Amino acid sequence: MRITVDMNLCESHGQCVFAAPEVFSFDDEDRLLHDPSPADSLLEKVERAAASCPVRAITVTPGAR
Amino acid sequence: MTVPAELVIVGASLAGLRAAEALRAGGFAGTLTIVGAEPHPPYDRPPLSKQVLTATGPPPDTTLPVRDDLHARWLLGRPAAGLDIEHRTVNLSDGTAVPYDALVITTGAVARSWPGHRPPPHGVLTLRGLDDALRLRGELRPGRRTAVVGGGFLGSEVAAAARARGAHVTLLVAAEQPLLGAVGTEVGAHVAALHRGAGIDLRTGTTVEAFEAERGRLVALRLSDGSRLPADTAVLALGAVPATRWLAGAGLDIRAGIRCDAYLRALRQDGTVAPGVVVAGDVASVPHPLAGGRHLLLGHWTNAAEQGEAAARTLLHPDRPEPFRGVPSFWSDLHGARIRSVGLPALADTVRVVEREPAAGRLEVAYEHQGRLVGALTIGRTARLAAYRQELQRRGNEATGRDRPVPARRGPR
């Protein structure tokens, strides 16, 4: 799968980090970091992370690399 | 009850939309009707007290995306006026009767109105819906004298937004600090300093006694300290009241929101489950594992989203429902400070400051009740929240017995 995060929208709510800590994390300045192409086995968690983002900054494309 | 064929959702906001999406995603192929009191399609509320007020250009569109494959019938601008549980019918204010096999109630909450006998004059506003926000936005101009009444997050957000628009802002708070009841003295003091640093006249321990009007329009507020505060606009941020008036006489337990069981099934006044009715969002009073099973009303975005999905799950899998065990979380953005919280800070008897660096705009506090973690809040330290949330989730799962069998349904089917 392929993940993109619109950093102009991201407000560091952290909901994606709660939902899929394997993929999303923060640096020391609360800037969001993410793995752009995680293993497909994480798809359900990643989709949950995208749905839990209050500003809908996360786009998930299943299958794509 | 088997999976229903005719499904009605009353309440066209986040919780209702999430319930609809989860029902379709879970394979529900029947008829889906969504009733909304407002004429607007579902929209997001958090920006109403933030970007919608502060944007210098046109206000941002906060409409929530609705998937094409939702295939819902929308009855918008038509408030529900009554519910007949025996005949499984929702009655709308225009006289339409909408029958259902299963019903999801997500009617949310309304702004608490001024408690005085007479309605306040023009120029005194509340903020709950999109129309309220657009009206208030029109009042926030540079130099306007704006009084904001209320010690909660909404009052603080409106005050900050009004100040950002160049208004002269007075924030009136009954307690000794803003946000005191919600998140305690440490965070309250931090936010008080942010308000004052931004040029807001913060008056604590102060309430409004009366409004003064000329030709029906607000000119001043009379305050509890005997002073008179001239104002062009006042915003009442006095909290929210669950929208249950339409349920009067329906037989549900609506003493404080709609009382539910752990699976979000609505309870009747005799404590039995009302057949085919589930509830989610601000209107739902739900037993919470972090509160020792006590019923709580939570008015947060994540709560509405998660309960909407959970209520759908209960309808889709009536024979193996799961108790709702979402960890509450909420946020606020004040004068550029990102306040993020998990758990139930309001339950705390002890607040532990883990880090405090006011110069760097950072704060991390842990909330405990009888020595156990019940919540955490950070400002400029969101990275620290995940560990607290994990602990709270673990505790919630433990308390609801993740693998425990589901108790048999009580009451007639």
Side-chain angles (χ1 to χ4, degrees):
Chain A
M1 83 188 96
R2 179 102 205 138
I3 298 175
T4 54
V5 178
D6 186 338
M7 292 306 289
N8 292 319
L9 293 178
C10 178
E11 296 175 350
S12 300
H13 288 274
Q15 297 292 327
C16 59
V17 180
F18 302 159
E22 300 88 343
V23 177
F24 300 95
S25 60
F26 287 115
D27 70 8
D28 286 343
E29 301 296 319
D30 275 353
R31 275 184 303 252
L32 187 68
L33 309 171
H34 74 282
D35 176 352
S37 52
D40 285 343
S41 57
L42 291 167
L43 181 62
E44 199 185 319
K45 277 188 158 187
V46 169
E47 286 187 329
R48 178 142 292 280
S52 68
C53 176
V55 293
R56 300 187 296 279
I58 302 168
T59 309
V60 185
T61 315
R65 295 299 301 181
Chain B
M1 187 181 71
T2 53
V3 175
E6 188 93 32
L7 210 138
V8 175
I9 298 174
V10 179
S13 195
L14 179 66
L17 181 60
R18 286 295 174 96
E21 289 171 347
L23 283 158
R24 287 298 190 216
F28 172 68
T31 311
L32 181 59
T33 302
I34 304 177
V35 175
E38 296 177 69
H40 311 294
Y43 60 86
D44 229 1
R45 291 175 195 275
L48 300 184
S49 52
K50 307 178 183 78
Q51 296 91 332
V52 170
L53 299 181
T54 55
T56 46
D61 179 10
T62 75
T63 308
L64 290 166
V66 174
R67 300 156 49 130
D68 292 336
D69 57 4
L70 199 64
H71 301 303
R73 175 170 72 125
W74 296 87
L75 301 178
L76 299 177
R78 299 164 77 175
L83 170 64
D84 183 337
I85 291 173
E86 294 313 313
H87 298 100
R88 299 204 186 204
T89 305
V90 175
N91 298 304
L92 306 189
S93 56
D94 63 4
T96 311
V98 185
Y100 65 83
D101 296 320
L103 173 67
V104 186
I105 302 179
T106 52
T107 42
V110 294
R112 189 183 299 281
S113 53
W114 177 245
H117 294 299
R118 280 184 304 175
H122 289 296
V124 180
L125 308 177
T126 54
L127 173 56
R128 182 75 199 172
L130 177 59
D131 298 338
D132 300 332
L134 296 176
R135 199 172 303 128
L136 173 57
R137 181 186 156 79
E139 297 263 339
L140 300 180
R141 293 191 294 275
R144 291 279 286 204
R145 297 165 303 174
T146 305
V148 182
V149 186
F153 274 103
L154 183 69
S156 274
E157 288 182 1
V158 170
R163 188 70 198 115
R165 289 286 301 277
H168 294 299
V169 181
T170 306
L171 177 57
L172 302 165
V173 173
E176 289 312 307
Q177 235 148 40
L179 311 181
L180 194 63
V183 289
T185 44
E186 295 73 11
V187 179
H190 189 99
V191 168
L194 290 178
H195 282 324
R196 290 189 166 121
I200 290 172
D201 178 3
L202 171 63
R203 302 194 196 176
T204 56
T206 308
T207 56
V208 177
E209 307 260 299
F211 301 102
E212 252 179 54
E214 273 171 25
R215 286 184 297 279
R217 169 91 204 180
L218 175 76
V219 291
L221 294 80
R222 294 259 175 218
L223 306 182
S224 54
D225 60 7
S227 66
R228 178 179 182 274
L229 175 67
D232 304 302
T233 304
V235 185
L236 303 180
L238 305 175
V241 183
T244 54
R245 223 165 64 173
W246 68 285
L247 292 167
L252 296 179
D253 184 343
I254 52 168
R255 282 169 296 174
I258 304 171
R259 197 173 177 87
C260 302
D261 68 7
Y263 311 99
L264 307 181
R265 301 181 296 199
L267 297 177
R268 289 189 280 214
Q269 283 161 355
D270 63 5
T272 59
V273 169
V277 186
V278 293
V279 191
D282 295 13
V283 76
S285 175
V286 177
H288 208 288
L290 291 177
R294 253 182 34 226
H295 278 73
L296 296 180
L297 282 161
L298 295 174
H300 306 314
W301 188 95
T302 49
N303 188 63
E306 291 175 1
Q307 284 188 349
E309 289 173 33
R313 213 158 46 228
T314 292
L315 290 180
L316 287 166
H317 308 291
D319 301 323
R320 46 182 180 95
E322 281 184 39
F324 178 71
R325 31 168 104 80
V327 177
S329 65
F330 68 88
W331 73 87
S332 184
D333 294 309
L334 294 172
H335 310 291
R338 285 175 172 172
I339 302 174
R340 304 286 181 263
S341 177
V342 294
L344 297 167
L347 297 186
D349 54 30
T350 307
V351 182
R352 198 159 46 82
V353 176
V354 180
E355 182 187 9
R356 176 160 32 202
E357 265 190 85
R362 282 177 171 169
L363 183 65
E364 176 185 351
V365 293
Y367 297 89
E368 294 168 353
H369 179 74
Q370 295 180 347
R372 303 190 78 180
L373 184 75
V374 288
L377 181 148
T378 61
I379 300 177
R381 274 287 193 214
T382 319
R384 303 274 182 87
L385 275 185
Y388 291 108
R389 189 183 184 281
Q390 210 166 19
E391 166 66 10
L392 294 169
Q393 183 79 70
R394 194 187 58 74
R395 288 258 316 285
N397 289 349
E398 212 174 80
T400 52
R402 202 136 198 151
D403 305 316
R404 209 165 52 191
V406 174
R409 175 189 293 261
R410 285 201 294 158
R413 294 168 80 104

